[in-house]
Amino acid sequence: MREFSAGSYDVAVIGAGHAGIEAALAAARMGKSTLLTTLEKSGVALMPCNPAIGGTAKGHLVREVDALGGQMGLSADEALLQIKMLNRGKGPAVFSLRGQADKALYHDIMLRVLENQKNLDVLYDETTKILVKDGVAHGITTLENGEIEGRAVVIATGVYLNGRTIIGAETKSSGPVGFKNATHLTDNLLSLGIDIRRFKTGTPARIAKDSIDYDEMEVQEGESDIGTFSFMNDGNLYSQMPCWLTYTNEKTHEIIRKNIKRSPLYNGTIHGIGPRYCPSIEDKVMRFPDKTRHQIFVEPEGRDSDLMYIQGMSSSLPKDVQEEMYHSIKGLTHARFIRYAYAIEYDCINPLELSSSLQVKRIKGLYSAGQINGSSGYEEAAAQGLMAGINAALYVDEKPPFTLNRDEAYIGVLIDDLVTKGTNEPYRMMTARAEYRLRLRQDNADLRLTEKGYALGLATEERLKKMQERREEIERIVRLSETVKIKKENGGIFERYEGVQVEKTMPVKEALKHPGITFDVLKEVTNAFSEFSKSALFSAEVMIKYAGYLEKEDAAIRDARRLEEKILPEDIDYNALSGLRIEARQKLSKIRPATLGQASRISGVSPADITVLLIYLKTAK
């Protein structure tokens, strides 16, 4: 990274949060001269909410970003305080890594990465305008440095556009954590005809570490033998810090109910739409009156930090109410507040304005990524940022865009959901959103995506070689499982681990199809697989154990791809197709799907409408 010097760039990226960093690094690593603008240095890679990476479905996104050659997984591994695997009781399709990160260290690591990245300049200045001529973006204007040429532009402003923080009756024009907000760009986006919405999110209080009674809580340790986020790291995380679990109680809930009229969420102070899947504590209490308690996790913000993050207690209630309700919780009776919980409202765009490449449909060369697209979460932002940066670089080279289908990656599901279905609330990635989640596991993200990242010039040769070696290792395990046999006299392991009696000799491949039998169990009766890595054994085991289900998913994927392969002309006049219902004409005209498959996923487009489009395509040919 060089300090900014006036000139022209291939790609200009606005915002240095999780989306902006991935976009800028991707473009620079693909050989494009790149400018990254951000309001202030301290906001780079900021974790204004929970200093954690991953979680249900989010861990999949981090692994996919990493497999393509992105940065989040590598930096998260270096900053980890604790890591664990979620959803162990629900099957390997939804296993998800979640790691607690050192907030300050993560920021420092990302700054170091940016500073050492070739082709990348950073400018600490507010971007006020996207320069557009004849429907084509050609640069930006900043508050202090004026016009800067850029052949492609990526907007990744997060929650900073006209940000407003709210605590009870106190409101402040501000970005998260009291940082400066961006007050000029929204008007410019509106003038370009882009649909702007107002969303809301929030964060809990930060409590002094030495004011918490840990003995009154349940300790939550990490796991030391499950690997980390990046496929480039082989080791496990051993030096881990604990987290703690406590609960709200009826007294907590009564305090909230008694003061609910003072909540900005309920008295009209907050106008933005908040996330359904990450509600404030007052929302949880009011929406689920039958629940007598809610889980509260107490998590460190850093190895040397004095702050503890109180996950599950997001709120915008007044300060005096926050103190009363926090003090009613076991372990937090003497809690000393360092920073009060707050809500934040911000401007974002309607993601239906975007194509599958994350390019704004009405403006060539203008891309958008992250929370400005109506999504929530660091991981969703990083995934979009990576894709926007890749496509901005490809646009500069006049190459076709790079997209991922729903059957190829969670990233594909995320982006397709946003640009096809839109969202009326902050969008959160969940495993239930993916139709083919047994195929899209986090353990095989490298096998699915690294070759694609390498072909783009993003994933390194070292990364590709590592993936190929792991693939070969998995294939060797599968082949060996067909020849190594579990002898009849060892059939007792089936009774011990599965509760059934087996009195015959069988290949390992057949044995693994029994639900209770794993490679870990088979170590008791054979050492034939001792040379293989744990990650390769796990991937091979899933492939063997769930082979029948995977074949069914593959058949469903082939059926779905028949619709995806039917391209809809860009200039099709949906209003002229008399067989379409009025709602379908309106939705199709607005979204302008690229394929028949995308059209079939639009809310308001029925199977009958798809039949009309099929007939049209045949007639047009």
Side-chain angles (χ1 to χ4, degrees):
M1 182 188 83
R2 303 168 299 171
E3 288 300 320
F4 168 76
S5 57
S8 63
Y9 293 84
D10 291 323
V11 179
V13 179
I14 307 166
H18 305 282
I21 284 174
E22 294 291 351
L25 289 173
R29 288 168 177 173
M30 289 172 70
K32 302 295 163 282
S33 60
T34 305
L35 175 67
L36 177 62
T37 73
T38 188
L39 293 168
E40 47 193 321
K41 192 172 187 176
S42 53
V44 171
L46 179 69
M47 292 181 171
C49 201
N50 195 348
I53 298 293
T56 300
K58 293 168 177 280
H60 292 67
L61 290 173
V62 180
R63 279 281 177 95
E64 290 179 351
V65 166
D66 181 71
L68 285 165
Q71 186 62 38
M72 175 173 269
L74 287 163
S75 295
D77 284 354
E78 197 175 340
L80 282 176
L81 300 173
Q82 186 196 90
I83 194 163
K84 59 175 60 178
M85 189 74 75
L86 305 185
N87 302 327
R88 280 194 182 276
K90 298 182 181 180
V94 296
F95 284 7
S96 299
L97 282 171
R98 181 188 185 274
Q100 197 71 20
D102 187 312
K103 180 177 180 175
L105 180 57
Y106 189 83
H107 160 81
D108 291 342
I109 291 165
M110 281 299 196
L111 269 179
R112 184 189 72 216
V113 171
L114 294 174
E115 287 166 358
N116 287 284
Q117 180 58 53
K118 183 182 175 183
N119 300 323
L120 180 61
D121 291 356
V122 174
L123 172 63
Y124 299 108
D125 194 358
E126 180 179 350
T127 299
T128 59
K129 188 177 181 181
I130 312 293
L131 300 174
V132 178
K133 184 176 181 180
D134 298 327
V136 179
H138 62 91
I140 60 173
T141 300
T142 67
L143 200 60
E144 297 178 8
N145 289 272
E147 292 189 3
I148 301 166
E149 268 186 60
R151 296 169 64 189
V153 177
V154 180
I155 311 171
T157 50
V159 300
Y160 284 82
L161 290 190
N162 287 329
R164 182 177 75 130
T165 55
I166 303 138
I167 305 175
E170 301 176 30
T171 64
K172 181 181 179 183
S173 178
S174 166
V177 202
F179 284 3
K180 181 183 176 184
N181 61 357
T183 58
H184 296 83
L185 194 57
T186 294
D187 287 342
N188 173 239
L189 296 176
L190 286 168
S191 73
L192 295 172
I194 295 173
D195 184 14
I196 298 294
R197 297 179 168 190
R198 191 79 170 159
F199 276 4
K200 166 259 174 190
T201 188
T203 187
R206 305 312 196 270
I207 300 300
K209 183 187 292 186
D210 61 4
S211 69
I212 295 172
D213 301 314
Y214 301 101
D215 292 342
E216 296 185 9
M217 301 177 179
E218 301 171 30
V219 68
Q220 303 286 296
E221 301 286 359
E223 298 177 68
S224 61
D225 61 347
I226 56 174
T228 48
F229 286 110
S230 178
F231 289 99
M232 299 301 288
N233 295 330
D234 295 320
N236 295 312
L237 185 66
Y238 293 106
S239 177
Q240 301 193 46
M241 295 182 70
C243 298
W244 287 268
L245 172 65
T246 185
Y247 299 89
T248 62
N249 52 60
E250 188 50 45
K251 183 180 178 182
T252 316
H253 299 180
E254 182 54 36
I255 292 166
I256 291 169
R257 287 191 290 265
K258 183 178 69 177
N259 291 280
I260 199 64
K261 290 184 179 177
R262 298 179 66 194
S263 167
L265 281 172
Y266 287 84
N267 63 21
T269 302
I270 289 176
H271 304 291
I273 301 168
R276 186 192 324 176
Y277 301 105
C278 189
S280 66
I281 187 62
E282 53 263 42
D283 245 357
K284 285 190 275 191
V285 168
M286 300 306 292
R287 283 165 51 187
F288 308 106
D290 56 316
K291 295 202 72 169
T292 57
R293 67 179 190 173
H294 295 279
Q295 285 187 327
I296 304 298
F297 290 95
V298 178
E299 301 168 327
E301 288 221 335
R303 197 169 292 279
D304 301 316
S305 173
D306 294 328
L307 304 184
M308 299 298 285
Y309 180 91
I310 314 301
Q311 185 191 198
M313 288 290 283
S314 172
S315 180
S316 58
L317 282 161
K319 294 175 181 177
D320 61 306
V321 180
Q322 288 190 37
E323 292 191 12
E324 189 181 0
M325 70 179 185
Y326 272 67
H327 289 158
S328 71
I329 296 170
K330 201 171 183 180
L332 297 177
T333 307
H334 306 104
R336 188 169 72 255
F337 283 67
I338 304 300
R339 185 179 303 124
Y340 289 92
Y342 64 87
I344 182 168
E345 287 186 321
Y346 56 95
D347 294 338
C348 58
I349 72 171
N350 182 349
L352 295 179
E353 297 274 358
L354 307 173
S355 69
S356 297
S357 67
L358 295 179
Q359 182 175 242
V360 176
K361 291 174 184 174
R362 69 185 73 222
I363 303 172
K364 290 182 179 180
L366 179 61
Y367 298 82
S368 184
Q371 284 189 264
I372 189 176
N373 289 349
S375 64
S376 68
Y378 311 144
E379 303 82 4
E380 289 90 339
Q384 293 173 69
L386 182 74
M387 296 297 283
I390 288 170
N391 282 315
L394 292 173
Y395 170 83
V396 169
D397 285 340
E398 298 182 358
K399 292 180 179 178
F402 172 70
T403 59
L404 291 166
N405 294 326
R406 298 180 71 90
D407 57 44
E408 292 179 300
Y410 269 80
I411 294 174
V413 176
L414 163 67
I415 293 175
D416 185 67
D417 277 354
L418 287 171
V419 306
T420 301
K421 302 174 184 177
T423 184
N424 292 319
E425 62 185 352
Y427 176 99
R428 179 176 180 170
M429 192 72 250
M430 296 182 291
T431 53
R433 298 189 192 273
E435 304 94 315
Y436 313 112
R437 55 184 175 271
L438 188 55
R439 181 63 68 190
L440 305 182
R441 305 183 313 277
Q442 63 172 10
D443 67 277
N444 69 359
D446 59 336
L447 307 182
R448 291 185 278 117
L449 299 174
T450 294
E451 285 176 335
K452 296 178 186 292
Y454 181 75
L456 289 164
L458 189 56
T460 63
E461 191 164 342
E462 179 189 4
R463 182 181 287 277
L464 178 68
K465 184 181 177 184
K466 201 173 184 69
M467 181 278 293
Q468 290 170 335
E469 289 171 350
R470 204 173 85 86
R471 176 182 282 162
E472 290 167 7
E473 187 181 14
I474 292 167
E475 289 170 352
R476 290 205 324 271
I477 294 168
V478 174
R479 287 195 301 270
L480 191 60
S481 73
E482 296 170 350
T483 57
V484 175
K485 291 183 168 56
I486 304 303
K487 296 178 181 178
K488 186 166 122 177
E489 55 264 34
N490 291 321
I493 63 168
F494 293 91
E495 189 168 1
R496 290 207 310 278
Y497 290 100
E498 201 185 2
V500 298
Q501 289 185 339
V502 176
E503 296 182 356
K504 66 173 184 176
T505 295
M506 68 176 73
V508 164
K509 192 169 185 177
E510 185 181 340
L512 284 169
K513 294 193 176 177
H514 289 257
I517 304 301
T518 64
F519 274 119
D520 202 41
V521 168
L522 293 176
K523 284 192 295 188
E524 294 183 18
V525 295
T526 177
N527 61 3
F529 299 91
S530 59
E531 67 176 287
F532 299 109
S533 67
K534 188 169 182 176
S535 71
L537 284 168
F538 179 82
S539 295
E541 181 182 304
V542 174
M543 289 168 63
I544 294 167
K545 194 178 286 289
Y546 297 94
Y549 295 100
L550 287 166
E551 286 172 9
K552 288 179 181 178
E553 272 200 2
D554 287 343
I557 288 169
R558 286 193 295 271
D559 288 342
R561 281 197 172 176
R562 291 190 184 101
L563 289 180
E564 297 297 339
E565 289 166 0
K566 297 188 184 299
I567 308 298
L568 292 168
E570 289 185 13
D571 59 351
I572 183 172
D573 184 359
Y574 293 104
N575 291 316
L577 300 182
S578 58
L580 292 175
R581 296 172 308 110
I582 292 174
E583 182 185 9
R585 292 182 202 175
Q586 292 172 343
K587 293 286 183 68
L588 291 164
S589 296
K590 182 176 183 179
I591 297 172
R592 307 211 67 80
T595 68
L596 204 58
Q598 187 183 3
S600 71
R601 294 187 294 275
I602 296 173
S603 174
V605 176
S606 71
D609 297 318
I610 297 301
T611 301
V612 171
L613 293 176
L614 266 170
I615 294 169
Y616 165 80
L617 289 177
K618 289 178 182 177
T619 306
K621 281 185 179 178

